[in-house]
Amino acid sequence: MSNESSEFWSGARDTIPVVVGAIPFGIIFGALAINAGLSVAATLGMSLFVFAGSSQFVAAGLLAQGAGILVIVLTTFVVNLRHALYSAALGPYLSKLPQRWLVPLGFWLTDETFAVVVQRYARGDDSPYKHWYHLGSSVAMYSNWLLCTAIGMVAGTQLQGMANWGLEFAMVVTFIGIVVPLLRNVPMILCAVVAGAVSLLLREWPNQLGLMLGALAGIAVAMLAEVAGRRTSMPKSQELPS
């Protein structure tokens, strides 16, 4: 098996835990979209061409309320602003890839795939095929999301009140399991604590702005902690003038 193939299947395999966590989320979207009045083609098309869970939920709700296209586009844009942070984090690892790679990997970038592939990119080995790992993770998530949307559309016509079952909590538990092992130093721990606290305090803000501000606050605190740590460990002779 070539290195490309081994990386691809490793990426798909390592994504299985978040795939499992995303299954209820995808099924609920399919059910809600159908019950909100979207057609089968529109529901499948949204998962096929948008592929953004939170934005799809928001867009489906706005469409059901008869909102205009501009409102829907602007709202989903704000909801997905966090992907700019993901892109910035992955940018150094992907900077040498051609457009034929950057376009699909950019389209398939999700919270789950980012959480998986950033660990692979950060490993110290010099494998030139890490983007194949990224591709494997992306394809696994994309295939799962399309399949779960289809299952949800069928279930939505048979079962009522799926949104109240609390199945989406599986995704929260999955992300906790992914993030906690990554917290290896004080700046990382502070980042997670501050981001979580701010997001909870601002959870009532519209369009997930609280989540975005929580992420920015966590990053800011982590950067300050990193700078403070470096100054503390810097020899007296190398300290910067005040």
Side-chain angles (χ1 to χ4, degrees), residues 82-223:
R82 67 189 186 281
H83 287 256
L85 300 176
Y86 299 157
S87 300
L90 293 177
Y93 303 112
L94 305 176
S95 59
K96 296 182 180 180
L97 290 179
Q99 285 294 111
R100 69 177 184 275
W101 276 96
L102 294 177
V103 171
L105 292 182
F107 169 73
W108 280 326
L109 181 60
T110 62
D111 306 288
E112 298 84 5
T113 290
F114 172 80
V116 172
V117 304
V118 72
Q119 300 178 62
R120 177 69 186 100
Y121 283 124
R123 285 181 210 158
D125 64 277
D126 57 355
S127 170
Y129 303 112
K130 292 181 180 180
H131 54 292
W132 282 90
Y133 181 98
H134 191 161
L135 181 64
S137 175
S138 298
V139 171
M141 281 301 304
Y142 189 56
S143 302
N144 172 72
W145 186 253
L146 294 178
L147 176 61
C148 290
T149 297
I151 294 173
M153 288 190 301
V154 175
T157 61
Q158 305 295 324
L159 302 172
Q160 300 297 320
M162 287 187 66
N164 300 321
W165 292 4
L167 297 177
E168 64 274 15
F169 188 71
M171 182 61 73
V172 178
V173 175
T174 301
F175 269 108
I176 292 174
I178 292 173
V179 171
V180 170
L182 298 177
L183 307 180
R184 301 189 181 100
N185 54 48
V186 172
M188 287 182 175
I189 295 173
L190 288 175
C191 180
V193 171
V194 171
V198 173
S199 297
L200 284 174
L201 289 173
L202 305 181
R203 65 185 181 279
E204 300 298 331
W205 284 31
N207 302 326
Q208 296 189 2
L209 285 175
L211 181 63
M212 186 67 183
L213 290 175
L216 292 174
I219 292 171
V221 169
M223 291 179 64

